[in-house]
């Protein structure tokens, strides 16, 4: 029976074990999730995608052990003992604070010196961050006309670079070639060697001549067999790789934000936080993501990220202008048969009264049939006419959702509520 060995050659950081690290993450999942939640509340949204230090109390790291039961007489040899002999009575250790030897100081934050500090990498942090979230309607649109390419193994070839040389396959071919080329010669050699032994037993006049001829033939065959090269260029085999097209998925995220005079900096900041959370979330589900920024007051305009987040505007509000521009951009650049389209709209709900009904009609008739999902976040508490019109739409459209968020601490819960997995708590 052959012995098979499997060697894990995955790259690990210094002094890190992938297996132990994964077990540790699973075992302390609750503490790690709480640490991620605290980090979300305490850090800026632009610093979201980085690691985090997790403090785990020492008492939570204890391992189950076997021990002797109470009672009985036991004799124990302690290694390294140079002071006591059998029969000595050992006094209790002296010291304050219960006799312990610890020199740590108390902490007012629930963390002492004995806490175990564990650093989550950026990838692990984001994994916990989005652990129980899922995209609604997650069917992906597959591209057929613009595939990406990936390299795939395609057997072996006779020519290639030394780095692609397959040693085992080459030696196997060399062995087969030597066996094939020397087969007839070895068979004849074995016959002649047997003939030589028979001639040595005979005593006839022609025996010396026949014996000499046989030995010369044997010598010639051995030289021919020895001349067969151990490794020939025709034996070399190299790994072959070919490029094959791979259908890929891609998404476009439309960010629509009201920048009228009623949207102060605090409300704009809430909208920014929601957009960035959605973008980080989509990057975990799609290989290619385009982001389209549309800002509007009485007129809508497509801008870059810098102007979208930082430029200031004043004036009234006509929300439908942004929806019309979104539909126009979809028709020009993002065919629904090739792109997964997601929309996110943020507003304080203030809109020209006669325009809110048109917004609902545009979403229902034009945009929602093209989108995988559309989320509306109102960053103000009063329920104005736009909220009321959108509520009518939310009753019938399954891939349309609307929520309120008036404080920074509410953005993440609202986001989780919009994208939570079925059956998971928000």
């Amino acid at each position: 029976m052959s012995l098979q060995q499997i060697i894990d050659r995955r790259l690990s950081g210094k002094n890190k074990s992938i297996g132990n690290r994964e077990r540790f993450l699973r075992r302390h999942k609750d503490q790690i999730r709480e640490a991620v939640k605290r980090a979300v509340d305490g850090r800026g949204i632009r610093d979201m995608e980085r690691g985090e230090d997790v403090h785990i109390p020492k008492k939570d790291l204890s391992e189950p052990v076997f021990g002797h039961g109470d009672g009985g007489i036991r004799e124990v040899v302690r290694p390294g003992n140079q002071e006591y002999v059998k029969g000595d009575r050992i006094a209790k250790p002296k010291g304050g604070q219960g006799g312990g030897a610890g020199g740590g100081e108390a902490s007012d934050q629930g963390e002492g010196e004995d806490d175990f500090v564990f650093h989550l990498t950026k990838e692990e942090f984001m994994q916990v961050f989005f652990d129980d979230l899922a995209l609604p309607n997650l069917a992906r649109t597959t591209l057929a006309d613009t595939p990406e390419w990936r390299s795939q193994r395609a057997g072996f070839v006779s020519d290639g670079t030394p780095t692609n040389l397959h040693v085992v396959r080459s030696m196997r071919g060399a062995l087969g070639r030597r066996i094939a080329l020397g087969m007839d010669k070895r068979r004849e050699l074995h016959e002649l060697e047997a003939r030589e032994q028979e001639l040595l037993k005979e005593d006839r006049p022609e025996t010396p001549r026949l014996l000499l001829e046989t030995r010369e033939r044997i010598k010639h065959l051995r030289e021919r067999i020895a001349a067969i090269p151990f490794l020939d260029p025709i034996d070399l085999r190299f790994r072959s790789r070919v490029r094959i097209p791979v259908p890929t998925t891609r998404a476009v995220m439309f960010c629509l934000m009201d920048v009228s005079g009623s949207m102060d900096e605090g409300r704009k900041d809430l909208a920014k936080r929601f957009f960035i959370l959605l973008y980080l979330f989509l990057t975990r589900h799609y290989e290619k993501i385009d982001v389209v920024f549309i800002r509007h007051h009485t007129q809508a305009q497509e801008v870059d990220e810098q102007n979208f987040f930082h430029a200031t505007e004043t004036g009234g509000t006509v929300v439908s202008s942004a929806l019309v521009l979104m539909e126009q951009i979809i028709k020009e650049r993002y065919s629904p048969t090739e792109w997964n389209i997601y929309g996110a709209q943020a507003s304080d709900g203030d809109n020209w009264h006669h325009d809110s009904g048109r917004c609902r009609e545009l979403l229902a008739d034009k945009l929602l049939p093209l989108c995988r999902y559309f989320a509306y976040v109102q960053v103000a508490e009063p329920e104005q006419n736009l909220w009321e019109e959108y509520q009518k739409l939310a009753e019938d459209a399954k891939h349309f959702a609307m929520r309120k968020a008036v404080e920074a601490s509410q953005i993440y819960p609202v986001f989780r509520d919009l994208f939570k997995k079925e059956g998971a708590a928000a």
Side-chain angles (χ1 to χ4, degrees):
M1 181 178 65
S2 61
L3 177 63
Q4 182 179 13
Q5 293 183 343
I6 300 177
I7 301 176
D8 187 354
R9 298 190 182 277
R10 292 179 295 179
L11 296 179
S12 301
K14 185 178 180 181
N15 298 327
K16 293 180 181 178
S17 168
I18 291 178
N20 291 338
R21 189 176 183 88
E22 291 176 348
R23 285 191 293 271
F24 184 88
L25 291 174
R26 290 194 300 268
R27 180 179 177 184
H28 299 282
K29 188 174 183 179
D30 293 337
Q31 289 107 321
I32 292 173
R33 184 175 293 164
E34 286 300 318
V36 170
K37 184 178 180 180
R38 290 194 300 270
V40 171
D41 295 336
R43 69 170 61 167
I45 198 66
R46 291 186 179 276
D47 298 328
M48 189 66 67
E49 199 175 8
R50 61 178 174 86
E52 176 68 17
D53 289 334
V54 178
H55 294 263
I56 298 179
K58 184 179 179 181
K59 61 182 179 63
D60 292 340
L61 299 176
S62 59
E63 297 281 353
V65 296
F66 289 101
H68 294 284
D70 296 335
I73 300 175
R74 301 188 302 274
E75 293 186 1
V76 181
V77 178
R78 301 295 184 188
N81 173 41
Q82 297 180 353
E83 301 180 23
Y84 305 102
V85 296
K86 183 177 180 180
D88 286 351
R89 298 178 65 86
I90 303 175
K92 294 181 178 180
K94 297 180 180 180
Q97 302 295 330
E105 298 181 356
S107 169
D108 61 351
Q109 299 178 355
E111 298 174 1
E113 290 187 24
D114 288 335
D115 283 359
F116 177 73
V117 181
F118 179 75
H119 182 74
L120 285 178
T121 64
K122 179 180 71 173
E123 292 77 13
E124 292 167 343
F125 180 87
M126 298 306 294
Q127 178 64 36
V128 177
F129 184 64
F130 293 120
D131 184 40
D132 54 352
L133 303 181
L135 279 175
N137 199 18
L138 192 56
R140 301 185 181 185
T141 301
T142 302
L143 297 180
D145 54 343
T146 56
E148 290 189 347
W149 299 87
R150 68 179 176 89
S151 180
Q152 176 176 295
R153 290 185 179 180
F156 302 93
V157 294
S158 301
D159 298 320
T161 61
T163 56
N164 290 330
L165 178 65
H166 195 285
V167 177
V168 175
R169 198 62 183 260
S170 299
M171 297 305 297
R172 185 187 303 172
L175 178 61
R177 176 186 52 79
R178 294 198 304 271
I179 292 175
L181 291 178
M183 182 179 299
D184 293 338
K185 298 179 181 62
R186 290 190 182 89
R187 183 183 299 111
E188 184 181 356
L189 177 62
H190 293 159
E191 294 174 354
L192 291 175
E193 288 175 345
R195 176 62 176 165
E196 180 185 18
Q197 296 301 322
E198 294 176 358
L199 291 175
L200 290 175
K201 299 176 182 178
E202 296 180 357
D203 186 12
R204 294 184 298 171
E206 65 275 12
T207 298
R209 178 180 59 81
L210 295 176
L211 186 59
L212 179 61
E213 293 176 354
T214 302
R215 287 176 174 174
E216 289 179 353
R217 181 60 179 169
I218 290 175
K219 180 181 178 181
H220 175 71
L221 289 175
R222 287 175 176 172
E223 291 176 351
R224 292 288 303 276
I225 294 174
I228 298 176
F230 181 80
L231 188 65
D232 194 88
I234 64 173
D235 302 327
L236 300 181
R237 292 295 179 270
F238 300 86
R239 298 180 184 88
S240 175
R241 307 189 74 88
V242 295
R243 295 176 70 240
I244 61 173
V246 180
T248 144
T249 56
R250 57 183 178 179
V252 56
M253 169 183 164
F254 283 86
C255 300
L256 286 66
M257 183 169 68
D258 181 7
V259 293
S260 61
S262 60
M263 285 284 289
D264 56 26
E265 286 302 318
R267 293 175 176 178
K268 290 179 182 178
D269 183 67
L270 294 178
K272 297 171 192 176
R273 289 172 178 265
F274 179 77
F275 291 142
I276 296 177
L277 274 177
L278 179 58
Y279 175 74
L280 290 176
F281 186 44
L282 290 177
T283 57
R284 299 178 59 82
H285 293 83
Y286 291 97
E287 300 167 8
K288 289 185 177 181
I289 297 180
D290 279 4
V291 183
V292 178
F293 298 100
I294 299 177
R295 51 188 292 135
H296 69 90
H297 40 90
T298 55
Q299 294 181 345
Q301 182 183 11
E302 181 182 2
V303 296
D304 58 21
E305 182 177 356
Q306 179 68 21
N307 289 324
F308 183 80
F309 283 145
H310 301 291
T312 58
E313 298 284 349
T314 59
T317 307
V318 179
V319 177
S320 62
S321 61
L323 301 178
V324 171
L325 181 57
M326 177 178 172
E327 180 192 6
Q328 179 182 345
I329 295 175
I330 291 175
K331 290 181 178 180
E332 293 176 355
R333 306 200 314 249
Y334 300 103
S335 171
T337 60
E338 299 178 355
W339 290 83
N340 298 277
I341 302 172
Y342 291 86
Q345 181 182 0
S347 171
D348 61 353
D350 186 21
N351 189 26
W352 183 44
H353 181 74
H354 298 288
D355 185 62
S356 297
R358 183 164 184 252
C359 292
R360 175 177 56 81
E361 294 174 357
L362 283 171
L363 277 174
D365 301 335
K366 302 292 185 179
L367 293 179
L368 289 185
L370 306 178
C371 294
R372 296 287 184 192
Y373 199 67
F374 194 100
Y376 170 68
V377 175
Q378 180 170 299
V379 291
E381 184 62 34
E383 297 181 359
Q384 303 192 53
N385 51 6
L386 184 62
W387 177 271
E388 295 173 354
E389 292 292 337
Y390 277 1
Q391 271 189 325
K392 301 176 184 178
L393 185 62
E395 296 175 357
D396 300 325
K398 294 182 178 180
H399 56 298
F400 175 80
M402 52 189 297
R403 298 290 188 276
K404 287 183 182 180
V406 295
E407 296 178 0
S409 59
Q410 295 177 338
I411 286 294
Y412 185 54
V414 164
F415 178 81
R416 295 179 65 85
D417 188 29
L418 289 174
F419 295 100
K420 66 182 179 181
K421 292 180 180 177
E422 293 184 3

